Amino acid sequence: IPHLNGFVYLEKPPLQYWLSALAFAAFGQSEAVARLWPGLFGFLALGLVYAIARRLWGMEAALRAVILTAGSILFALLGHQLTLDMTLSFWLLASLASFIFAQSEKANPALARRWMLGCYAAMAAAVLTKGLIGVLIPAATLGIYMLWQRDWALLSKLQMRWGVPLFLAIAAPWFVLAGRANADFLHFFFIREHFQRFLTPIEERSEPWWFFAPVLIIGILPWVTLGVRALAFDWRLRAPRAEFNPVRLLWIWSVFV
């Protein structure tokens, strides 16, 4: 269980703190080592961006996607900051990439199944990084996609028989042990940190509802115009019903998040 200045710290799960402890043990304590994992996960995220774009649209699109991502202000900032956000972004992106690869793999069912299990593992790592958001974002995106695409057959391709146990085997043990070691942990973590934190002024966050709009606009500079144009595509021309449509899935992912 992470500690902050000697006190138990239960606000966030421990994955990145574990990784930081390993880095300190291997390389000593310094500012650079403290920021090792956010920076490394940033580079790994670029690799996933490249892999998704190349799978869907080829080499040129992949290189453009990497340049656009790496050149965005917020992405570069979070790759340098000592926060959990780049690590969370990597695992969410890994779940998205694994899902797209699984649903796009029609010639090899065994490979598609392994990609789906990778999706569950990535979501579990995201949960161990920053809580329920690691599974809620992918699940909400999938739900919106199936409603819009009317692709109910997708439920049979999710490999839940093996994926859910794998997810629980990775994500659940720490929460069970933390709950046994700290009587108030489960209520504090799941109720206060996931619901009261967002629905009540318990954290004294007084920003207006539109607060993150300028943050996002500044964060994707200098590509704001390109971003708006990309989101304004004619989705009706690219969405045959009851067939997997990665463009629509990516559109929902971007807008929903």
Side-chain angles (χ1 to χ4, degrees):
I1 291 176
H3 285 63
L4 183 63
N5 293 329
F7 293 96
V8 172
Y9 180 76
L10 296 174
E11 277 80 354
K12 298 292 184 291
L15 180 56
Q16 182 163 310
Y17 305 117
W18 288 344
L19 295 174
S20 296
L22 290 175
F24 286 149
F27 306 113
Q29 295 186 30
S30 69
E31 292 286 333
V33 176
R35 289 168 171 76
L36 173 65
W37 288 107
L40 180 59
F41 279 120
F43 283 111
L44 293 174
L46 291 177
L48 290 174
V49 168
Y50 175 89
I52 294 173
R54 182 168 184 179
R55 177 68 173 261
L56 297 179
W57 299 294
M59 175 70 78
E60 182 179 352
L63 294 175
R64 288 173 181 263
V66 169
I67 292 171
L68 292 172
T69 305
S72 298
I73 289 177
L74 188 57
F75 185 88
L77 176 65
L78 292 179
H80 290 76
Q81 270 193 328
L82 184 53
T83 68
L84 306 180
D85 297 300
M86 184 57 77
T87 306
L88 173 68
S89 296
F90 167 78
W91 290 120
L92 288 174
L93 187 59
S95 72
L96 175 66
S98 299
F99 182 83
I100 290 175
F101 295 163
Q103 303 309 318
S104 302
E105 187 61 60
K106 298 180 180 179
N108 191 334
L111 182 58
R113 181 166 55 253
R114 287 196 290 270
W115 278 121
M116 270 308 306
L117 293 180
C119 177
Y120 285 98
M123 287 191 295
V127 170
L128 280 175
T129 299
K130 209 171 183 181
L132 293 179
I133 192 174
V135 69
L136 291 179
I137 284 179
T141 300
L142 178 63
I144 296 170
Y145 172 83
M146 288 193 300
L147 285 171
W148 191 2
Q149 188 72 357
R150 300 176 189 172
D151 186 4
W152 310 113
L154 190 58
L155 287 172
S156 65
K157 303 175 184 178
L158 299 183
Q159 303 295 331
M160 287 188 285
R161 178 184 178 185
W162 301 108
V164 172
L166 176 63
F167 172 88
L168 293 175
I170 296 172
W174 180 81
F175 290 98
V176 173
L177 294 173
R180 292 177 62 184
N182 299 271
D184 297 329
F185 167 71
L186 295 179
H187 180 272
F188 175 83
F189 184 83
F190 289 106
I191 303 301
R192 185 190 186 281
E193 290 297 296
H194 284 84
F195 295 97
Q196 293 178 340
R197 187 182 184 95
F198 293 98
L199 301 177
T200 71
I202 193 171
E203 290 292 330
E204 298 183 359
R205 294 182 174 183
S206 57
E207 292 83 0
W209 62 268
W210 48 263
F211 173 78
F212 283 105
V215 172
L216 180 62
I217 291 172
I218 296 172
I220 60 176
L221 286 174
W223 318 117
V224 176
T225 303
L226 286 176
V228 172
R229 287 170 56 190
L231 290 176
F233 77 102
D234 189 354
W235 50 267
R236 291 169 298 180
L237 301 179
R238 309 187 188 192
R241 293 294 183 188
E243 292 184 19
F244 179 62
N245 187 274
V247 174
R248 178 169 286 184
L249 181 75
L250 290 170
W251 191 93
I252 294 170
W253 181 277
S254 299
V255 173
F256 173 77
V257 175

